[in-house]
Amino acid sequence: MPLDHRRLRGPEESQPPALWAATAAEDEEDEEGAGAAPRDPCALRPLFARAGLLSQAQGSAYVELGSGTKVLCAAWGPRESAEPGPGRLLCEFRRAPFAGRGARGRPGAAAEREAEREAAAALREALEPAVRLGRYPRARLAVSALLLQDGGSALAAAVSAAALALADAGVEMYDLAVGCALSRPPAPAASWMLQPAEPEERRAAARLTLALLPALNQVSAVLGGGRGGPPEDWAQALRLGLDGCHRQYPVLRQSLLRAAQRRDAAAAA
């Protein structure tokens, strides 16, 4: 019988898939188990931000958190709209197919699209108070956020990245919107935790995402829910989130300033 050279022959020896599935589950439990040292709930994860890195968009920004979350945003300035009245802000949120860790917890296509629509609506709610839409009558502003890697606190990172991208596009804004996420573990006496990682978010009894305009000291959005305890605990979470936003603000402003300096240097060259 002639050989089929168009196909790649498999190995002569193989192992059943169940063997590797069990090993992966054990590795996952080791990684997320109690062996990890507890971290300070008030500590912020390292934040990296860079504005003005995409030439195909009027404005762009990249934000990365120490938990592994990576968000890339692009923004486009005013475009003519047929609808009368003040300007409109259009927001899009998408997850890259490789954003999650493996196939664990990956929703179906319909559920994923619904989650992206909800995230886009939350993004718009957080950004609209920061943009001077009245200065753009009969115009549309657009921002698109792409989640490259989900290590937790993804929506908060997308808020900060989208605000940076809009400012980099030259859109008039009252202030940069800064996002900060919090979660509360299911333990009865547990305290709220700043910028939770993906495993911490998944096991949380309550989650909260806060958007703040630090220069105005104005909250633009509060999103979340769950079993967070009495009202005093939610008030504590808000205070912790406000402090986290204020602490991230200088990093975002500095990244925007560097982008403007790079643009001026390129124009002068």
Side-chain angles (χ1 to χ4, degrees), residues 239-260:
R239 289 192 295 268
L240 191 61
L242 291 174
D243 178 66
C245 290
H246 280 291
R247 288 154 61 190
Q248 295 180 82
Y249 189 50
V251 179
L252 301 177
R253 287 189 59 186
Q254 189 65 26
S255 68
L256 190 61
L257 178 61
R258 291 198 198 98

Side-chain angles (χ1 to χ4, degrees), residues 141-239:
L141 307 171
V143 61
S144 175
L146 175 62
L147 180 61
L148 299 173
Q149 184 172 329
D150 186 2
S153 307
L155 179 58
V159 169
S160 299
L164 269 181
L166 286 169
D168 184 60
V171 175
E172 293 193 31
M173 304 176 70
Y174 295 105
D175 194 12
L176 286 176
V178 183
C180 189
L182 303 99
S183 71
R184 184 178 182 274
S191 59
W192 286 86
M193 183 177 299
L194 272 176
Q195 290 182 327
E198 191 272 338
E200 295 167 341
E201 277 189 334
R202 189 162 18 91
R203 296 192 297 262
R207 291 188 291 178
L208 190 66
T209 298
L210 182 71
L212 176 71
L213 310 181
L216 305 177
N217 201 27
Q218 176 182 337
V219 175
S220 61
V222 179
L223 310 161
R227 300 185 301 276
E232 294 78 12
D233 288 353
W234 288 99
Q236 176 197 1
L238 288 174
R239 289 192 295 268

Side-chain angles (χ1 to χ4, degrees), residues 1-256:
M1 180 177 179
L3 296 177
D4 188 354
H5 296 284
R6 294 174 297 177
R7 301 183 183 223
L8 295 177
R9 299 182 61 185
E12 297 180 358
E13 297 182 0
S14 62
Q15 300 291 340
L19 176 64
W20 305 112
T23 305
E26 291 172 0
D27 293 342
E28 184 177 308
E29 291 176 1
D30 293 341
E31 182 179 349
E32 301 175 3
R39 69 180 184 94
D40 183 3
C42 299
L44 285 174
R45 297 187 183 275
L47 169 67
F48 173 80
R50 178 168 179 176
L53 69 162
L54 293 180
S55 59
Q56 299 88 350
Q58 289 179 254
S60 59
Y62 171 80
V63 167
E64 181 176 342
L65 299 179
S67 60
T69 296
K70 301 175 183 178
V71 181
L72 180 64
C73 284
W76 292 268
R79 297 175 177 176
E80 185 178 358
S81 174
E83 300 180 7
R88 297 177 56 211
L89 179 63
L90 306 179
C91 294
E92 180 187 35
F93 184 95
R94 294 180 295 118
R95 289 176 59 96
F98 47 83
R101 293 177 49 193
R104 180 190 57 191
R106 182 177 297 170
E112 187 169 351
R113 285 195 298 269
E114 180 62 26
E116 290 178 347
R117 282 194 294 266
E118 292 178 357
L123 196 60
R124 180 182 175 184
E125 181 179 347
L127 293 173
E128 273 191 336
V131 181
R132 303 185 66 179
L133 292 175
R135 300 296 297 268
Y136 302 100
R138 301 184 60 130
R140 295 178 300 168
L141 307 171
V143 61
S144 175
L146 175 62
L147 180 61
L148 299 173
Q149 184 172 329
D150 186 2
S153 307
L155 179 58
V159 169
S160 299
L164 269 181
L166 286 169
D168 184 60
V171 175
E172 293 193 31
M173 304 176 70
Y174 295 105
D175 194 12
L176 286 176
V178 183
C180 189
L182 303 99
S183 71
R184 184 178 182 274
S191 59
W192 286 86
M193 183 177 299
L194 272 176
Q195 290 182 327
E198 191 272 338
E200 295 167 341
E201 277 189 334
R202 189 162 18 91
R203 296 192 297 262
R207 291 188 291 178
L208 190 66
T209 298
L210 182 71
L212 176 71
L213 310 181
L216 305 177
N217 201 27
Q218 176 182 337
V219 175
S220 61
V222 179
L223 310 161
R227 300 185 301 276
E232 294 78 12
D233 288 353
W234 288 99
Q236 176 197 1
L238 288 174
R239 289 192 295 268
L240 191 61
L242 291 174
D243 178 66
C245 290
H246 280 291
R247 288 154 61 190
Q248 295 180 82
Y249 189 50
V251 179
L252 301 177
R253 287 189 59 186
Q254 189 65 26
S255 68
L256 190 61

